[in-house]
Amino acid sequence: MATFRELLRAAKQSIREVDVEGGAALLDRGHVLLDVRESDEYEQGAIPGSVHLPRGMLETSIEDRIGDRDTPIVVMCAGGARSAFAAQTLTALGYTEVVSMDGGFNGWKDAGKPWSRPRTLDSSGRHRYQRHLLLPEVGEQGQLALLDARVLVLGAGGLGSPVALYLAAAGVGTIGIVDMDEVDASNLQRQIIHRFDQVGARKVDSARAAIEARNPDVTVITHDVRLDAANVMDIIDGYDVIVDGTDNFPARYLLNDASVKAGIPVVHGSIFRFEGQVSVFDPRHGPTYRDLLPEAPPPEFAPSCAEAGVLGVLPGIIGSLQALEALKLVLGIGEPMIGRLLVFDALDMAFREFKLTIDPTNEVRWENRSRIEVVDLDGLCIPALRPG
């Protein structure tokens, strides 16, 4: 039977090995550093930019973390033993350019090279968000990004309710809520963030209570005001993403012009009877609401939900899709619905997608942001720009 030393010697003979200086040179040339130490070791110090994957998870998870087998990799552990075995395993898995760094992290520190104590989730956070941590596209760094994110939800109604609850459950660290209404019994058919015993309460207060009860990690900022030209720029300032749950055209155009001026992406959602729509309007990368709808339709062609009704579950579906798009934007994953409009028909259970393009006659765009004047529209949807 072979001893550990014999196995280690055989592993080192079958792989390429470099010292700390050689490893640093490879990293400068673009090699990926794979840290195979245990989590408690990693938390005590790590090399910035490294990919952390404990040795015991290497075979099952490496393809999710480094999928391209031609990626040049430097493997590191504490001293050089585990990294040698890991390099041997990676070679057996078909990775073509793998080296082990002899001396490991301890040698790196002794050589005076840069390292830091990485920010990590505590044990409570790991337990709370463990299903996210299992997703390579999210992982610990993605979850930390969610906790750092600031998302503004306009409206604590049918759309805002599922949006706020799912963002809170996902661990979005700061959620702003804008609404100037109070909870009415007629809201409860669709506005799932509120309860019957909260009828008469301010919606922002009811929403905050529900969010804080779901996730104490979340900070809730309430804006119990009517959104208008005098306050919109101050309210949206500092947010990474805005989720639009408004239910009237003047508010949508006001938000559009303000978000274009500020360069903040808006996740749009709208509902009517049995139909809903979702899109992402990112003024820096695609069309905006004014490209979709240059002017509001006459009131007789666009009655509100209060006038025409809405199936209670519909805003839950559309709001959930909005929350998903907001999370994708924060995490930088997938293909956000920029330049696309998704239309859902609940009666036919059918989704249709339409391509959106930038209207060349629309002057309310990111390139003209310094000329945009945000004004209260109140039935008028003409763009407001200073002469340029």
Side-chain angles (χ1 to χ4, degrees), residues 117-313:
R117 194 180 299 274
R119 181 183 171 208
T120 58
L121 295 169
D122 59 21
S123 58
S124 174
R126 286 200 184 93
H127 182 67
R128 179 186 297 275
Y129 305 115
Q130 60 177 306
R131 298 302 190 275
H132 275 177
L133 303 185
L134 293 172
L135 296 170
E137 296 83 357
V138 182
E140 188 164 20
Q141 293 308 307
Q143 189 60 56
L144 290 170
L146 289 173
L147 289 166
D148 289 339
R150 297 171 57 88
V151 178
L152 180 66
V153 181
L154 296 187
L159 293 174
S161 289
V163 168
L165 288 175
Y166 269 114
L167 294 181
V172 171
T174 301
I175 299 176
I177 303 288
V178 182
D179 203 301
M180 59 165 294
D181 205 354
E182 63 181 34
V183 181
D184 185 84
S186 65
N187 302 147
L188 305 181
Q189 165 251 14
R190 64 202 177 280
Q191 298 180 17
I192 59 173
I193 204 167
H194 310 298
R195 305 190 311 266
F196 187 77
D197 62 355
Q198 293 171 317
V199 169
R202 304 302 295 176
K203 282 188 176 179
V204 291
D205 295 333
S206 172
R208 176 171 55 190
I211 292 170
E212 291 176 344
R214 181 158 298 276
N215 192 344
D217 291 344
V218 179
T219 298
V220 182
I221 300 174
T222 58
H223 305 273
D224 192 352
V225 295
R226 176 183 180 272
L227 198 68
D228 58 30
N231 61 28
V232 63
M233 295 305 298
D234 288 334
I235 288 175
I236 69 175
D237 182 49
Y239 285 98
D240 304 305
V241 178
I242 302 170
V243 182
D244 179 14
T246 58
D247 61 358
N248 64 85
F249 286 105
R252 289 173 185 158
Y253 286 102
L254 176 71
L255 171 62
N256 177 83
D257 296 356
S259 66
V260 172
K261 188 175 183 69
I264 304 174
V266 173
V267 181
H268 167 75
S270 61
I271 51 175
F272 178 72
R273 291 173 57 82
F274 301 97
E275 186 176 283
Q277 299 180 351
V278 179
S279 188
V280 173
F281 302 128
D282 188 338
R284 299 191 184 197
H285 301 290
T288 68
Y289 189 70
R290 284 191 182 273
D291 295 305
L292 169 67
L293 202 64
E295 295 183 2
E300 61 269 23
F301 292 110
S304 68
C305 290
E307 299 170 306
V310 61
L311 188 67
V313 72

Side-chain angles (χ1 to χ4, degrees), residues 15 114 183 368:
I15 63 168
V183 181
N368 296 331

